[in-house]
Amino acid sequence: MSKPTTVEFDLDRYLRNSKKVDLSGIDWDQVPGYPLSTGDVMCLHYMMDIETHTVIYLRDLLATRVAVDPQITAFLSCWVYEELWHGEAFSDFLRSYGLEVPAEPKLPDGSTPMPTHPNRWRNLRVRLGVGNGLGIVPTMLGSMMTRDFAAIHMMWGAVNELTTLTGYHALMRRCDHPELHKLLRNVIQDERRHFAFYRAQAKARLQRSRTARRLVRYVLRALWTPVGAGVKSEEEVDALAIYLFGDGREGREQIRDIDRTVSELPGLGGLTLLEDYLDDALERVAGRPGWAGVAHAPAPVLASGNGNAPAPAHWAKAGAVRED
Ligand SMILES: [Fe+2]
Ligand SMILES: [Fe+2]
């Protein structure tokens, strides 16, 4: 018989405190005053796209049994709102920096109507189809799964949120822009709460069910893809992974931290999803110089942790033809 499930997350507190990310501390006039590398800009575009794509991920989630759980749907209602504002924050930042190609429509007072970049989002979603590797799970497993099914989605969300917030920390390490640091610090606070919710939900489900443990482990090993895969091409995902985490020992340690955190959950010991992905990305670079904007395979440097991977360069060209 099933035991009562303890979820280590104060949902009531989260729901009452949920709000749009506070960017009042950012001096927007100062944003163009500090340089961003091509790699930094690539990351910001990627992050903007992924944050704005959250609602499509929500669509996939609500098509599953997760939708019958009122705790989860209450969380998702606030979560998707917060993620929308993260996307807008990155959009505002890039525009303030001067990267608005082509110009967005303006209201008579010079402001940009919300949501920003509507054509860009529409095109992305038309191209998208299935949102990510997880999107095929319902088809694959059909009605075999009952309540254990939610464990997969909660764990997938936990890995996504943890990877996202670690990526923001990595961008702060790679980029000194003080106003960007303020923005990222505020967004990271939200991502930490998101991660805490998904982790607590996943942990409770993994603790109570051996089937859930086996299922989640199997699905992560077989189907997991980094956050953004599906929206972004493999080359773009590789470029981001190498720029943020392939630049030396610190980046390597950051992704190992993610793997360690995942491994601490019941049934998931020993999984190295992130590090395996980075190693695979580096192998693709080694086999195809120029892949992901990296001219020379940085693998030996990455293994020993001295030095920096070059900033991916192909994004400069991609930006020029972007259809916003
Ligand atoms: Fe976010
Ligand atoms: Fe999040």
Side-chain angles (χ1 to χ4, degrees), residues 56-70:
I56 300 298
Y57 182 75
L58 176 65
R59 174 201 65 183
D60 294 346
L61 265 180
L62 291 177
T64 71
R65 286 185 56 86
V66 162
V68 303
D69 186 320

Side-chain angles (χ1 to χ4, degrees), residues 131-170:
N132 50 51
L134 188 59
I136 66 173
V137 174
T139 321
M140 200 181 124
L141 301 174
S143 58
M144 277 165 57
M145 302 310 139
T146 55
R147 64 183 197 165
D148 291 325
F149 200 86
I152 302 172
H153 292 282
M154 295 299 102
M155 195 57 221
W156 196 284
V159 180
N160 271 3
E161 296 288 347
L162 183 58
T163 308
T164 303
L165 78 88
T166 309
Y168 294 161
H169 278 298

